Amino acid sequence: MAGAAALNNIPAAHAYEEKVARESYDYIIAGGGLAGCVLAERLSQDGTKKVLLLEAGRPDYNANIIRIPAGILRLFRSVYDWQHESKGEKECNGRNIFLQRGKVLGGSSCTNVCLHHRGSAMDYDEWQVPGWTSAEVLPYFKKSERDMTGQDPAYHGKDGEWVMENVRYQNPLSKKFLEVGAAAGLGTNDDFNNWSRPQDGVGRFHVSQSGGERCSGASAFLSKCRSRKNLIIRTGTMVKRINFDSKKTATGVSYDLMGDDTSKPFEASLKMGGEVLVSAGAIASPQILMCSGIGPAEHLEELAIPVVADVPGVGQNLQDHPAAVVSFKTPKKGISVTSKLRLLGFTNPFPILRWMFFKSGMLTSTGCDHGGFVKTNGDEAQADLQLRFLAAKALGPDGMTTFTQFRNTKRLEDGYSLQSIAVRPKSKGCVRLVSSNAHVKPMIDCGYLSDSDDLTTLREGIKLCRNLAQSPEWGECLGDEVYPGKLVQTDDDIDEYIRNTLHTSNALTGTCKMGIDSDCVVGPDLRVRGVNGVRVVDSSIFPNIPGGQTGTPTVMVAERASAFITNPKLAPGSTSIVVDEVLKQPVPPLLLELWIVPPGITNKQMHDPKLWKMNLEV
């Protein structure tokens, strides 16, 4: 695996890329993030298929700062981060909000907080996309997973590469939080990925780690296949556009090298019947499509981009988990994670040595691996709020501040924080081009709080977190509130605090929406509307964001896609039958036995007598 990030010898780099471009490929994967890593491994298993993976970021996913889970404190706003920002969030008093995205093989799975969540079964059933119900996606969750915690095998796999562990460290404050939450009547939950029970309760979050190290898409999947002769992995390569013939069939991609001032273009070609698989994430995937002439025609024409396919939904439906923080200072000294990481104002070497030799201790934790899910409104079908507990006093009311400022702060006070996350948000935003040049970052409007229900969820979350944080159950650890502060009391005060401090939970999704409606970008088989030979395979295809961190659902999408790309018989249909009225009576048992059920038929559609007749005649 060669990287093109450092161009010390530009002629040699050009010569190598020309050699790569002379080949033709069965699959060109545009983006080496989490989904791209899964695709590369699965599709290259067939040695007769030639696969090219193009990633704009760095090659060094095995750097210690990435392998150490607590290394996240030094990853944000680093060379491993694209450092995006949303622009002028209207409902957040015009603030630009920092959006971290991984700039390395493995993508954001190398820079996230390692939480291993799927969301609920209802999340997938409510997508209402043929072939993507909870029952249909569960086998793909299980196929990728290696559960090291001994949970119910009905919902967990044990032979996959995507490892699920319990974090190897529990701070005393984190243990106390679980006691406080249970005493407050929130209930307990030892497996938030078990779909036989509600998601509600407090507990330890499972993490994507292996033996105390971060489990990323690159370490889990690419490490298996990087030496295969039929797989070429190129880093530091920016895909500029997908190329098409006169029949709107993809013929390959154009790309150039990061850091190459000459901007020399290279073209990688597809074999006959080959495919371009766009897996660059919720920001870059719609950017690649629009730079290729696939998107809202009027917007493309404004930038003089020739329109290949007018697909208005490209870049729409952007969703994220917005968050707000409550933080307390505790009088008990030397108990918080952050204070333990400092010794006399300098980095404490003992946690580092413990991780290096034993892969245990506080460096195995990203800090927020205890928490819970809560319904703030009794009318909700499932939890709208996620709580993440941190055994540390926040350095600022914007939760991302603690991560980005920690490395520059020599002395840290003890305390604890609770992050409220609107985990099933209703607000939506968009991604739009600023330039036809793929190197220019697009304009991102997350639309935070554009639906007032999200503000209500966060407001109720702040109130709940305050009550939890001031519980007498904390004993000698009970401290004084730092954020929002005692002056923030009324609902209007809390709302203004949220608007001024809201931050991302780094779960961007939805901008290449999957489905069968006119606003969708890809069908259930992930093929892009209006063109041939292009699919999108990553979190951007989620119709609605799942209720939990989105790394594991992204693995499932890539696993599912790999299965039907290699075996078209497994592909969900690209059309479905629309039922105007649903009969109330159940399907008669005799007819059910005679059914030949088309893939992806929903429970509602199973009550349509037209479908009974159709299947009985087959």
Side-chain angles (χ1 to χ4, degrees):
M1 178 179 64
L7 294 183
N8 297 322
N9 188 333
I10 289 179
H14 287 178
Y16 191 93
E17 295 307 326
E18 287 167 355
K19 179 181 177 182
V20 171
R22 281 197 294 269
E23 302 285 338
S24 57
Y25 302 89
D26 295 281
Y27 304 109
I28 298 175
I29 303 170
L34 181 52
C37 290
V38 178
L39 289 170
E41 199 288 320
R42 297 297 189 249
L43 298 179
S44 65
Q45 286 181 5
D46 181 350
T48 68
K49 301 294 185 181
K50 192 142 191 175
V51 181
L52 174 63
L53 174 63
L54 298 173
E55 162 58 34
R58 299 168 59 92
D60 51 336
Y61 64 87
N62 264 330
N64 281 336
I65 197 66
I66 292 174
R67 292 168 56 212
I68 299 173
I72 190 172
L73 294 167
R74 294 183 178 274
L75 289 174
F76 290 5
R77 297 192 183 277
S78 74
V79 295
Y80 298 101
D81 181 5
W82 283 103
Q83 304 184 45
H84 288 288
E85 285 189 349
S86 71
K87 302 298 181 185
E89 292 289 337
K90 181 179 178 182
E91 298 300 324
C92 297
N93 294 331
R95 294 167 54 228
N96 296 349
I97 295 179
F98 168 56
L99 304 171
Q100 180 275 329
R101 295 283 89 189
K103 190 178 181 181
V104 60
L105 276 174
S108 297
S109 70
C110 290
T111 59
N112 64 15
V113 291
C114 296
L115 299 187
H116 192 109
H117 286 145
R118 297 174 180 172
S120 71
M122 188 182 297
D123 290 334
Y124 301 95
D125 292 334
E126 290 185 344
W127 282 2
Q128 296 186 342
V129 178
W132 294 86
T133 65
S134 59
E136 289 164 307
V137 301
L138 180 58
Y140 296 95
F141 276 117
K142 293 173 65 176
K143 180 181 178 183
S144 301
E145 186 177 79
R146 187 189 308 164
D147 172 26
M148 305 299 289
T149 67
Q151 297 293 339
D152 188 347
Y155 297 95
H156 292 281
K158 63 179 182 179
D159 299 320
E161 300 90 343
W162 190 238
V163 182
M164 184 180 86
E165 283 191 342
N166 286 318
V167 71
R168 296 186 171 195
Y169 171 77
Q170 271 192 297
N171 184 275
L173 290 171
S174 299
K175 293 180 181 179
K176 180 61 71 173
F177 162 75
L178 299 184
E179 297 173 11
V180 170
L186 298 182
T188 59
N189 193 334
D190 67 349
D191 183 7
F192 295 98
N193 297 308
N194 184 330
W195 286 352
S196 69
R197 55 149 295 164
Q199 196 180 25
D200 308 48
V202 297
R204 300 178 69 181
F205 293 145
H206 290 130
V207 291
S208 296
Q209 292 183 16
S210 178
E213 297 189 23
R214 174 186 295 276
C215 179
S216 72
S219 64
F221 296 97
L222 276 191
S223 62
K224 291 179 60 178
C225 63
R226 56 188 294 181
S227 61
R228 291 176 187 163
K229 294 182 179 180
N230 62 319
L231 172 64
I232 295 178
I233 302 171
R234 302 295 299 131
T235 55
T237 53
M238 174 67 78
V239 174
K240 296 171 67 68
R241 71 184 68 85
I242 303 166
N243 300 320
F244 295 94
D245 64 16
S246 60
K247 296 181 180 180
K248 300 185 179 181
T249 297
T251 60
V253 300
S254 295
Y255 68 95
D256 61 16
L257 304 181
M258 300 287 288
D260 179 5
D261 292 338
T262 71
S263 299
K264 179 179 173 65
F266 302 91
E267 292 191 3
S269 301
L270 288 171
K271 294 181 180 180
M272 185 70 67
E275 295 187 78
V276 174
L277 307 174
V278 181
S279 57
I283 295 175
S285 284
Q287 182 182 23
I288 289 172
L289 292 184
M290 288 187 282
C291 286
S292 305
I294 304 167
E298 184 176 352
H299 177 56
L300 301 182
E301 289 167 352
E302 290 173 351
L303 296 169
I305 298 173
V307 177
V308 176
D310 180 13
V311 185
V314 174
Q316 297 294 324
N317 195 51
L318 176 63
Q319 294 177 278
D320 188 20
H321 290 146
V325 162
V326 166
S327 189
F328 281 68
K329 178 181 178 181
T330 178
K332 188 170 178 61
K333 303 298 182 183
I335 193 170
S336 292
V337 173
T338 43
S339 63
K340 290 175 181 291
L341 289 174
R342 288 285 188 258
L343 183 65
L344 302 176
F346 298 94
T347 299
N348 185 348
F350 295 106
I352 298 173
L353 292 171
R354 184 172 178 180
W355 183 87
M356 288 178 62
F357 288 104
F358 304 107
K359 298 298 185 292
S360 64
M362 66 181 70
L363 295 191
T364 64
S365 172
T366 59
C368 58
D369 35 50
H370 290 63
F373 290 84
V374 180
K375 298 186 185 76
T376 63
N377 183 336
D379 296 333
E380 297 285 347
Q382 53 183 342
D384 59 321
L385 177 72
Q386 182 185 17
L387 303 177
R388 298 204 303 208
F389 178 81
L390 296 92
K393 184 178 79 69
L395 295 177
D398 173 345
M400 297 297 286
T401 303
T402 297
F403 285 103
T404 56
Q405 291 187 0
F406 170 82
R407 58 181 174 263
N408 299 319
T409 306
K410 289 188 175 182
R411 298 187 184 276
L412 299 159
E413 296 179 309
D414 289 279
Y416 50 91
S417 305
L418 283 150
Q419 187 183 43
S420 293
I421 299 171
V423 76
R424 291 184 171 89
K426 298 177 182 178
S427 301
K428 297 182 179 180
C430 66
V431 174
R432 282 288 174 264
L433 296 181
V434 174
S435 167
S436 60
N437 183 348
H439 288 274
V440 178
K441 291 180 180 178
M443 185 282 294
I444 304 167
D445 176 6
C446 290
Y448 291 124
L449 306 183
S450 57
D451 190 301
S452 62
D453 284 354
D454 296 347
L455 180 60
T456 300
T457 292
L458 291 175
R459 181 196 312 132
E460 294 306 310
I462 293 287
K463 294 177 181 179
L464 173 61
C465 289
R466 276 177 152 172
N467 289 335
L468 292 173
Q470 297 177 86
S471 167
E473 298 285 335
W474 287 100
E476 64 178 346
C477 296
L478 181 63
D480 295 326
E481 182 177 316
V482 180
Y483 302 114
K486 294 181 179 179
L487 296 179
V488 178
Q489 293 298 328
T490 68
D491 283 1
D492 287 345
D493 291 340
I494 295 172
D495 289 353
E496 189 66 8
Y497 170 76
I498 292 169
R499 295 180 192 281
N500 287 329
T501 65
L502 180 146
H503 52 279
T504 177
S505 297
N506 295 312
L508 300 173
T509 70
T511 48
C512 297
K513 180 181 176 182
M514 171 179 65
I516 58 175
D517 299 325
S518 60
D519 64 337
C520 295
V521 176
V522 301
D525 58 1
L526 307 186
R527 295 182 190 274
V528 176
R529 292 176 54 200
V531 297
N532 303 311
V534 181
R535 302 189 207 232
V536 179
V537 186
D538 58 28
S539 65
S540 69
I541 64 97
F542 295 170
N544 286 302
I545 191 169
Q549 281 57 65
T550 53
T552 296
T554 299
V555 173
M556 177 277 292
V557 166
E559 188 75 83
R560 177 105 171 86
S562 299
F564 61 67
I565 289 171
T566 55
N567 183 359
K569 292 181 180 179
L570 298 176
S574 58
T575 60
S576 72
I577 297 172
V578 178
V579 180
D580 294 324
E581 294 184 4
V582 180
L583 299 181
K584 301 300 182 184
Q585 67 268 28
V587 178
L590 179 60
L591 288 176
L592 186 59
E593 291 176 7
L594 294 173
W595 262 41
I596 302 173
V597 183
I601 291 299
T602 66
N603 291 333
K604 288 184 178 181
Q605 291 170 343
M606 287 176 67
H607 294 282
D608 182 19
K610 296 177 183 178
L611 284 180
W612 301 351
K613 183 174 184 295
M614 178 188 73
N615 284 282
L616 287 170
E617 290 175 349
V618 171

